């Protein structure tokens, strides 16, 4: 038995003041329990670090540690309480765990790493043999730790995006650092008030340093940005605008499909995603059926052609050519007389200055798109979220590029 205790003493690498006094296999035979005792004569106050006298021992506590072989391993100890002249009686710090944590630092570090590699809490919880709630707690603490370590460096280009959250048109609004490719903060709703709260998550000097903010043509976003980032250019970029164009094409398709169906024509049935793909991303069979659709006299095909034509706009690189192109494109839209397309054209016209800002800041649209699809992935993995706060935690954990490492 003595050799086993010495063995664990060596494996745990604890300071001399902590001694392994017993190692037991639990009654159920599934757990190893390691009993530790403090044998130092002096303790340090956790507040000021000054040495003080041992007042008494706190009640027994237990920490989950990394497994020994396949056995769950726990550390058990009574922590001395220090009597400090200035701070009174306080429980001292232990070298193996953070304050209030029920896990050792080593266990929590592995848990965080596992969470980073799993796309759901459930998967990580199963591997750790922890409950969903306990695993979720570890993720919460990691996000809090990461947020508290964030620097307040200037961020030149921001992006605001909305994301639907649960059914029934509930939304969250997300603030991105476009150059850093990371999510900064997430708030509930997409109102002016919510957007202001989102922007206020940045410190005042940070807000003043923002050069541009890329966003959808949604009024509350613009109102909040004007108020809190008056010097920043608003940019409506490709990512947000292609969404409107895609929706317009889809509206044309639905209307046309309904008309065709009344005449018994099923040409457009099941074609929704065909019109969303760009030709260069189609497989051979997708391209074949797409070309068949395009060869006909469909209104949807014409709307699609206008949408596709607009992709050229972003490649023009300067405001003058872009304005010229837009006039030309607008005329084509007018000629076609398709209401959903005309509506988008009018919308773009109203926000044209902010659209042209795209060429001034050259913000990569890929960042918004990339973050959005990443968020979508974690959302799918969790099959919807129970509450806003857990949705926010997940987004920040996986897309916040936070420094969440455990430092012992
Ligand atoms: Zn003290």
């Amino acid at each position: 038995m003595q050799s086993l205790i010495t063995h664990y003493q060596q494996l745990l690498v604890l300071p001399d003041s902590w001694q392994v006094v017993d190692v037991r296999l639990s009654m159920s035979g599934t757990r190893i329990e390691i009993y530790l005792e403090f044998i130092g004569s002096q303790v340090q106050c956790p507040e000021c670090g000054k040495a003080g006298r041992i007042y008494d021992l706190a009640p027994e506590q237990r920490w989950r540690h990394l497994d020994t072989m396949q056995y769950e391993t726990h550390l058990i100890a009574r922590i001395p309480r220090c009597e400090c002249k200035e701070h009174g009686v306080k429980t001292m710090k232990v070298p193996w765990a953070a304050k209030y944590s029920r896990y050792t630092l080593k266990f929590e570090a592995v848990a965080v790493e596992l969470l980073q590699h799993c796309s759901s809490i459930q998967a990580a919880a199963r591997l750790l043999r922890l409950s969903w709630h306990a695993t979720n707690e570890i993720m919460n603490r990691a996000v809090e730790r990461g947020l508290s370590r964030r620097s307040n460096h200037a961020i030149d280009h921001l992006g605001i995006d909305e994301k639907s959250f649960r059914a029934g048109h509930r939304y969250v609004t997300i603030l991105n650092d476009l150059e850093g490719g990371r999510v900064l903060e997430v708030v509930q709703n997409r109102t002016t008030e919510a957007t202001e709260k989102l922007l206020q998550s940045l410190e005042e000097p940070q807000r003043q340093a923002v050069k541009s903010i890329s966003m959808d043509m949604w009024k509350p976003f613009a109102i909040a940005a004007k108020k809190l980032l008056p010097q920043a250019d608003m940019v409506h970029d490709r990512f947000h605008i292609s969404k409107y164009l895609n929706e317009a094409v889809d509206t044309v398709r639905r209307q046309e499909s309904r008309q065709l169906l009344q005449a018994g024509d099923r040409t457009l049935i099941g074609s929704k995603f065909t019109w969303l793909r760009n030709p260069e991303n189609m497989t051979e069979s997708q391209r074949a059926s797409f070309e068949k659709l395009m060869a006909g006299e469909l209104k949807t095909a014409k709307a699609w052609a206008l949408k596709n034509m607009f992709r050229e706009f972003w490649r023009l690189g300067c405001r003058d050519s872009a304005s010229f192109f837009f006039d030309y494109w607008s005329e084509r839209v007018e000629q076609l007389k398709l209401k959903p397309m005309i509506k988008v054209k009018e919308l773009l016209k109203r926000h044209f200055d902010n659209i042209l800002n795209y060429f001034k800041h050259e913000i990569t649209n890929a960042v918004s798109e990339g973050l959005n699809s990443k968020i979508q992935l974690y959302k799918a993995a969790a099959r919807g979220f129970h509450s806003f706060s857990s949705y926010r935690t997940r987004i920040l954990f996986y897309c916040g590029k936070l420094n969440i490492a455990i430092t012992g």
Side-chain angles (χ1 to χ4, degrees):
M1 195 61 197
Q2 198 51 43
S3 70
L4 188 62
I5 289 174
T6 320
H7 191 56
Y8 271 100
Q9 179 80 35
Q10 283 167 348
L11 290 178
L12 283 169
V13 211
L14 292 173
D16 291 343
S17 51
W18 285 97
Q19 198 87 59
V20 175
V21 290
D22 200 1
V23 177
R24 294 183 205 162
L25 192 62
S26 70
M27 297 289 273
S28 56
T30 55
R31 253 180 214 175
I32 290 173
E33 294 174 333
I34 304 170
Y35 287 82
L36 298 168
E37 223 171 77
F38 186 76
I39 54 161
S41 53
Q42 265 196 338
V43 284
Q44 283 180 322
C45 166
E47 303 284 326
C48 62
K50 279 186 198 141
R53 170 183 97 77
I54 298 175
Y55 179 79
D56 66 355
L57 298 176
E60 196 172 89
Q61 267 176 275
R62 176 185 283 269
W63 296 264
R64 170 89 182 268
H65 192 45
L66 296 171
D67 292 359
T68 313
M69 310 292 275
Q70 69 275 36
Y71 295 94
E72 236 180 59
T73 303
H74 293 239
L75 304 189
I76 297 169
R78 292 185 67 184
I79 309 175
R81 298 201 300 162
C82 170
E83 188 174 26
C84 173
K85 284 194 184 107
E86 206 184 326
H87 299 99
V89 175
K90 297 271 176 193
T91 306
M92 69 176 270
K93 281 183 194 155
V94 291
W96 61 83
K99 204 174 169 184
Y100 307 126
S101 176
R102 290 180 295 123
Y103 313 100
T104 64
L105 293 166
K106 288 206 166 74
F107 182 87
E108 206 157 333
V110 168
V112 164
E113 219 168 302
L114 257 175
L115 277 165
Q116 283 173 316
H117 293 286
C118 293
S119 58
S120 78
I121 301 248
Q122 217 149 7
R126 199 169 49 235
L127 288 166
L128 291 164
R129 278 178 282 129
L130 274 184
S131 71
W132 186 93
H133 282 284
T135 314
N136 190 50
E137 257 321 295
I138 290 176
M139 187 188 263
N140 277 335
R141 265 207 300 280
V143 167
E144 274 166 37
R145 189 162 59 238
L147 288 176
S148 72
R149 286 176 188 166
R150 253 200 190 149
S151 78
N152 49 6
H153 288 321
I155 301 164
D156 289 350
H157 304 293
L158 295 176
I160 288 185
D161 277 314
E162 63 178 42
K163 201 116 200 76
S164 68
F165 162 60
R166 303 170 81 176
H169 295 289
R170 290 181 56 188
Y171 289 90
V172 299
T173 308
I174 302 172
L175 186 65
N176 297 327
D177 163 11
L178 294 185
E179 275 174 319
R182 59 186 176 141
V183 172
L184 296 169
E185 189 49 278
V186 186
V187 294
Q188 215 160 356
N189 300 322
R190 49 170 189 168
T191 56
T192 307
E193 204 186 356
T195 317
E196 283 178 13
K197 192 176 145 203
L198 186 67
L199 294 174
Q200 274 156 350
S201 70
L202 298 175
E203 288 174 26
E204 178 65 35
Q206 271 182 311
R207 287 207 298 272
Q208 282 169 1
V210 174
K211 292 184 179 137
S212 77
I213 179 157
S214 147
M215 61 171 94
D216 196 358
M217 294 170 284
W218 171 251
K219 214 168 198 166
F221 292 169
I223 295 170
K226 219 173 231 167
K227 182 174 164 193
L228 291 164
L229 311 168
Q231 81 296 339
D233 284 329
M234 274 184 238
V235 184
H236 302 314
D237 65 8
R238 181 177 170 169
F239 171 69
H240 295 106
I241 285 160
S242 55
K243 204 172 72 184
Y244 283 94
L245 287 165
N246 275 323
E247 278 165 12
V249 173
D250 197 49
T251 310
V252 174
R253 176 194 61 84
R254 271 185 285 126
Q255 288 169 352
E256 190 174 29
S257 182
R258 220 173 299 136
Q259 282 167 0
L260 289 177
L261 205 57
Q262 277 167 3
D265 184 341
R266 301 178 59 85
T267 308
L268 281 171
I269 300 291
S271 72
K272 176 172 180 168
F273 295 101
T274 306
W275 306 105
L276 291 174
R277 271 179 220 113
N278 288 326
E280 65 272 20
N281 301 330
M282 291 178 187
T283 64
E284 230 161 279
S285 72
Q286 281 170 346
R287 189 187 295 267
S289 60
F290 174 72
E291 275 166 10
K292 229 169 95 191
L293 286 169
M294 286 302 285
E297 281 296 300
L298 293 166
K299 286 176 188 158
T300 311
K302 287 173 184 159
W304 181 90
L306 283 172
K307 175 195 87 165
N308 194 50
M309 186 179 165
F310 201 85
R311 294 169 72 194
E312 190 55 33
F313 178 87
W314 308 106
R315 299 194 192 107
L316 292 169
C318 78
R319 299 169 70 100
D320 286 348
S321 329
S323 302
F324 186 79
F325 174 91
F326 186 73
D327 289 342
Y328 176 79
W329 182 81
S330 299
E331 265 174 56
R332 303 282 88 77
V333 173
E334 285 292 343
Q335 281 166 358
L336 212 58
K337 298 191 171 61
L338 293 171
K339 265 198 190 134
M341 296 303 287
I342 293 173
K343 251 172 91 179
V344 176
K345 184 211 64 171
E346 293 298 324
L347 182 74
L348 299 183
K349 206 171 166 183
R350 280 201 301 280
H351 294 90
F352 201 58
D353 282 339
N354 291 346
I355 295 172
L356 286 178
N357 277 338
Y358 179 80
F359 300 108
K360 186 172 161 191
H361 293 284
E362 283 177 31
I363 296 160
T364 64
N365 162 75
V367 176
S368 273
E369 249 170 19
L371 283 173
N372 257 287
S373 53
K374 206 171 161 193
I375 292 167
Q376 200 59 41
L377 187 80
Y378 291 113
K379 197 174 156 186
R383 290 178 216 95
F385 284 89
H386 305 293
S387 69
F388 164 73
S389 82
S390 57
Y391 190 27
R392 172 182 175 266
T393 301
R394 263 151 208 73
I395 294 174
L396 289 169
F397 185 85
Y398 290 113
C399 310
K401 290 196 180 167
L402 294 166
N403 171 13
I404 53 178
I406 304 267
T407 48

